[in-house]
Amino acid sequence: MTTRAIDRPDPAVDKPIPGGGEEPPRLRSRHLLGIAGLDAAEISLILDTTVAMKEIGGRAIKKVPTLRGRTVVNLFFEPSTRTRTSFEIAEKRLSADTLSIAAATSSVTKGETLVDTVRNIEAMSPDMIVMRHASSGTPDLLSRICRSTIINAGDGMHEHPTQALLDAFTIREHKGRLAGLKVAIVGDLLHSRVLRSNVLLLKTMGADVWACGPATLIPAGLERLGARPTTSVDEAVEGADVVMLLRIQNERMQGHFIPSVREYFALFGMTPERVRRAHPEVIVMHPGPMNRGVEIDSAVADAPYSVILEQVANGVAVRMAVLYLLAGREESGGE
Ligand code: CP
């Protein structure tokens, strides 16, 4: 019989998870490396668990003992505002002992390899490592050599699973479902881990995903992933229930993918006029950080249909759900 990482019952967290029955809620893997490793039932489990976690965030005392005695290390080798902050808040709300290490203040700057850095951190017996890295596949590599549970907080151009989960949660809050929705994702598709995780999640949950950008920024194999690629914003946005903008990632571009920012905004920037082609109850999303006047007009970013700050707020609850479910998985001892 397996046990869960709960010190004592908490009515908000310990109420039955829909579909969970008598068994403790669980994910099949003890790591979260990407959406690619999750099936529809696991995605639903995380989203349903997030509802309970969000309730905790609305209390006067926003803290439960769920991860008391557990140590979580946040290891960020790339800048982050939203992801790192929300993981830290999520860990504190679950009573974990937590510390954050930024690459600039670690011994990586003195020539230590990533593997050596992580092995040294592991020598201090953390339970979970939340990591962001510029190289795709780094969390997967570490999951093969670490005892700790690894949570991918964004790896290169590969995946950003908790971003896609918080996006899905936000969509579900507004639309009540994911299946059957038209979701238009517009921007720098080529360099985006957010695109990849969102397409995988939304397709798994039955949404109709359109991906729009300049031909130079559309990755090969997008159709195989399940999205409908197009260079026409009008086609992508027409009747869309959700419009999601992606940042132009200048820092990942080696060469000239767009002639100029002004031309990009003229052809692909999300303006109020373009939003009017979407469903009358459209919501507009952006994972951040956003470049106003490049991929999104300020009038859109600040419009009533923009849910960008709701996404950020939901990020805390989604990350609490992920930490909670993986802690339970960790204790049950599976791979
Ligand atoms: N959406 C996102 O990953 O933002 P940060 O880079 O600020 O974490």
Side-chain angles (χ1 to χ4, degrees):
M1 183 66 190
T2 59
T3 55
R4 217 170 3 147
I6 302 290
D7 290 304
R8 62 181 170 78
D10 181 280
V13 180
D14 282 356
K15 67 186 175 189
I17 302 292
E22 291 302 307
E23 288 294 308
R26 50 195 287 142
L27 300 172
R28 283 173 301 154
S29 172
R30 69 186 179 94
H31 307 287
L32 179 64
L33 304 178
I35 297 298
L38 300 175
D39 62 23
E42 290 175 304
I43 292 167
S44 293
L45 173 62
I46 296 170
L47 300 184
D48 293 342
T49 307
T50 301
V51 176
M53 296 301 173
K54 191 164 177 173
E55 188 276 323
I56 294 168
R59 296 179 192 172
I61 309 285
K62 303 174 181 60
K63 206 169 179 88
V64 290
T66 309
L67 293 189
R68 195 165 57 198
R70 302 297 183 96
T71 304
V72 185
V73 175
N74 303 303
L75 191 52
F76 277 66
F77 291 91
E78 265 193 343
S80 169
T81 300
R82 284 144 287 267
T83 311
R84 187 171 132 182
T85 308
S86 61
F87 263 112
E88 284 184 28
I89 292 173
E91 291 150 10
K92 290 179 198 308
R93 286 193 181 161
L94 294 174
S95 302
D97 296 315
T98 173
L99 73 152
S100 293
I101 302 169
T105 56
S106 77
S107 290
V108 168
T109 57
K110 299 175 192 165
E112 189 173 67
T113 68
L114 170 68
V115 169
D116 280 335
T117 298
V118 171
R119 283 201 167 123
N120 278 271
I121 291 168
E122 276 240 294
M124 296 177 252
S125 303
D127 298 290
M128 298 189 190
I129 298 176
V130 177
M131 82 161 312
R132 169 171 288 191
H133 201 280
S135 297
S136 303
T138 311
D140 182 63
L141 167 73
L142 294 186
S143 73
R144 294 166 197 272
I145 60 166
C146 288
R147 286 187 312 275
S148 318
T149 286
I150 304 292
I151 301 177
N152 182 2
D155 63 326
M157 303 190 303
H158 177 226
E159 280 229 41
H160 193 349
T162 55
Q163 179 68 46
L165 287 161
L166 74 88
D167 291 341
F169 183 80
T170 306
I171 296 171
R172 216 178 66 160
E173 276 196 323
H174 279 269
K175 304 292 178 190
R177 66 195 161 96
L178 296 169
L181 295 178
K182 178 176 180 180
V183 181
I185 305 178
V186 183
D188 178 353
L189 310 174
L190 182 63
H191 300 98
S192 180
R193 54 198 178 205
V194 174
L195 170 84
R196 193 176 164 80
S197 290
N198 261 297
V199 171
L200 288 167
L201 188 154
L202 291 166
K203 287 308 293 180
T204 301
M205 302 309 280
D208 179 23
V209 187
W210 290 69
C212 173
T216 49
L217 290 175
I218 296 181
L222 200 49
E223 278 160 314
R224 271 204 313 280
L225 220 55
R228 301 197 210 195
T230 177
T231 54
S232 164
V233 182
D234 288 349
E235 185 184 32
V237 171
E238 188 68 45
D241 300 286
V242 178
V243 173
M244 185 184 295
L245 288 325
L246 298 175
R247 184 171 66 90
I248 293 295
Q249 299 195 32
N250 288 311
E251 77 277 17
R252 293 193 211 280
M253 292 190 192
Q254 322 255 323
H256 298 287
F257 289 86
I258 53 172
S260 70
V261 163
R262 217 165 72 167
E263 185 162 330
Y264 180 84
F265 183 71
L267 291 173
F268 295 96
M270 197 52 57
T271 59
E273 294 70 39
R274 287 190 168 130
V275 174
R276 276 198 273 280
R277 300 187 80 94
H279 188 281
E281 289 176 23
V282 68
I283 56 170
V284 172
M285 311 180 77
H286 194 307
M290 65 180 159
N291 296 309
R292 291 171 184 260
V294 182
E295 67 267 5
I296 187 166
D297 192 317
S298 268
V300 172
D302 301 326
Y305 49 67
S306 164
V307 298
I308 293 169
L309 291 178
E310 284 178 47
Q311 290 172 262
V312 178
N314 287 335
V316 175
V318 160
R319 284 159 182 139
M320 287 171 76
V322 165
L323 290 160
Y324 164 74
L325 291 168
L326 289 175
R329 188 72 189 89
E330 184 190 53
E331 197 153 275
S332 69
E335 285 306 306

